[in-house]
């Protein structure tokens, strides 16, 4: 990998590990739906000029039905549910739980008949889900089932989103898909966010929402497209394994969240399980078209 590729790779690992801490700060003062609306609305405003200049938006909206479905399972639902979960769960815990997305995706793709379980993949799934079980069992107060359910639904949504892309939107420009989905999400959130608008805007929460929009949404996708162009789509997805480490580091150092036994056991198991469970065999490792990226955080 070139120096530019490494720089982009490390930048993405940090950028998509940061949102969990920002969301945790924002939902302390703002309703989760206000946070999600602010992120999508501002992110869409920033990406819209690029999408219009490159003429990538019009063809995407002609296929609005799969775009809407993708938006619901990849943005509208997950970004609201993550905010809700972080009103009670630590940001580092949420980041680590969402690292199980590749494991969920493997199960779904296999059940759809597009892949098969072999010994390595089965071991990976067992190891990965054991890590999730360790984290939930040791770190999470099971008297908060709504938060756990919210993250479970988020991981399913994040796993289903790329499948919709591959089946219905893969031939469309990624910039158009991302911008169009952010616009739709902002429109969906708008009436609910208006009803929950805060009576006053605290500095910490406001800066966090702005950071989510500018850094973790608009800038993130521009950097991610550059990373795909530099190293290819397969290598680009490896950032999935760095994001939770960044989330844990920021949660512990900036938000004074505890570094727990559950994290110590769960983190390496989830990452190892994801690597084993999602690795392709050489025979199946064929070049693929570049999909629009999944919103990993």
């Amino acid at each position: 990998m070139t120096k530019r590729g490494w720089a982009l790779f490390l930048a993405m690992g940090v950028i998509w590990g940061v949102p969990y801490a920002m969301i945790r700060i924002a939902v302390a003062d703002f309703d989760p739906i206000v946070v999600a609306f602010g992120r999508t609305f501002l992110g869409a405003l920033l990406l819209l000029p690029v999408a219009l200049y490159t003429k990538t938006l019009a063809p995407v909206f002609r296929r609005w039905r799969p775009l809407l479905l993708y938006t619901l399972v990849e943005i509208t639902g997950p970004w609201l549910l993550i905010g809700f979960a972080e009103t009670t769960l630590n940001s580092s815990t949420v980041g680590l739980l969402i690292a199980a997305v590749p494991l969920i995706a493997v199960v779904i793709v296999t059940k759809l008949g597009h892949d098969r379980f072999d010994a390595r993949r089965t071991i990976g799934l067992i190891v990965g889900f054991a890590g999730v079980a360790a984290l939930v069992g040791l770190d999470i107060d099971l008297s908060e089932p709504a938060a756990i359910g919210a993250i479970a639904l988020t991981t399913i949504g994040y796993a289903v989103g790329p499948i919709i892309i591959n089946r219905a939107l893969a031939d469309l420009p990624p910039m158009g898909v991302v911008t169009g989905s952010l616009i739709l999400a902002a429109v969906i959130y708008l009436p609910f966010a208006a009803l929950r608008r805060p009576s006053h805007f605290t500095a910490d929460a406001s800066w966090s929402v702005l950071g989510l929009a500018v850094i973790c949404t608009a800038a993130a996708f521009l950097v991610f497209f550059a990373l795909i162009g530099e190293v290819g789509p397969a290598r680009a997805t490896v950032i999935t394994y760095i994001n939770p480490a960044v989330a844990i580091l920021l949660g512990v150092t900036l938000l004074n969240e505890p570094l727990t036994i559950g994290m110590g056991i769960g983190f390496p198991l989830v990452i190892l399980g994801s690597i084993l469970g999602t690795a392709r065999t050489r025979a199946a490792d064929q070049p693929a078209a570049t999909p629009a990226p999944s919103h990993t955080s």
Side-chain angles (χ1 to χ4, degrees):
M1 198 185 312
T2 64
K3 289 183 179 179
R4 182 172 184 269
W6 276 112
L8 292 169
F9 180 82
L10 293 174
M12 281 311 308
V14 173
I15 286 172
W16 270 342
V18 165
Y20 305 104
M22 289 186 173
I23 291 170
R24 177 72 170 172
I25 294 170
V27 297
D29 295 315
F30 296 163
D31 188 278
I33 202 164
V34 173
V35 176
F37 168 73
R39 181 180 181 182
T40 53
F41 176 71
L42 294 174
L45 282 182
L46 291 169
L47 291 179
L48 184 59
V50 180
L52 292 176
Y53 178 77
T54 55
K55 299 180 181 179
T56 57
L57 203 55
V60 169
F61 277 113
R62 292 193 195 105
R63 217 173 295 175
W64 64 269
R65 288 182 180 86
L67 179 67
L68 176 60
L69 180 59
Y70 170 78
T71 300
L72 291 172
V73 302
E74 191 75 20
I75 299 180
T76 311
W79 289 7
L80 175 61
L81 291 170
I82 290 173
F84 169 75
E86 289 205 35
T87 60
T88 55
L89 299 181
N90 288 332
S91 65
S92 49
T93 301
V94 171
L96 182 49
L97 287 173
I98 291 177
V101 166
L103 302 174
I104 303 293
V106 166
V107 173
I108 294 174
V109 169
T110 303
K111 289 297 183 181
L112 290 175
H114 299 299
D115 215 327
R116 62 184 179 81
F117 286 117
D118 56 17
R120 180 181 60 183
R121 181 158 291 174
T122 301
I123 292 171
L125 291 174
I126 293 172
V127 170
F129 286 121
V132 173
L135 184 67
V136 172
L138 295 174
D139 284 2
I140 297 178
D141 183 357
L142 297 180
S143 66
E144 297 287 350
I148 300 172
I151 297 303
L153 289 174
T154 296
T155 59
I156 294 171
Y158 277 163
V160 170
I163 296 173
I164 297 172
I165 289 286
N166 289 334
R167 288 194 166 196
L169 302 169
D171 59 323
L172 296 175
M175 178 58 70
V177 173
V178 170
T179 306
S181 62
L182 288 174
I183 291 171
L184 285 178
V187 170
I188 293 169
Y189 286 141
L190 176 58
F192 305 100
L195 293 173
R196 294 299 189 97
R197 64 186 181 278
S199 57
H200 65 284
F201 292 81
T202 60
D204 287 349
S206 298
W207 281 114
S208 293
V209 172
L210 185 62
L212 284 167
V214 176
I215 299 171
C216 305
T217 304
F221 286 119
L222 294 176
V223 173
F224 193 68
F225 295 149
L227 178 63
I228 289 173
E230 186 72 21
V231 306
R235 284 186 180 181
T237 58
V238 179
I239 60 169
T240 303
Y241 307 130
I242 298 177
N243 297 345
V246 175
I248 291 172
L249 179 63
L250 291 176
V252 171
T253 58
L254 296 183
L255 302 181
N256 296 317
E257 295 176 352
L259 184 60
T260 64
I261 295 175
M263 288 179 189
I265 297 173
F267 175 68
L269 290 179
V270 170
I271 300 305
L272 177 60
S274 293
I275 293 172
L276 291 174
T278 60
R280 292 183 175 185
T281 60
R282 290 191 176 185
D285 194 11
Q286 300 295 331
T290 301
S294 171
H295 300 268
T296 57
S297 59

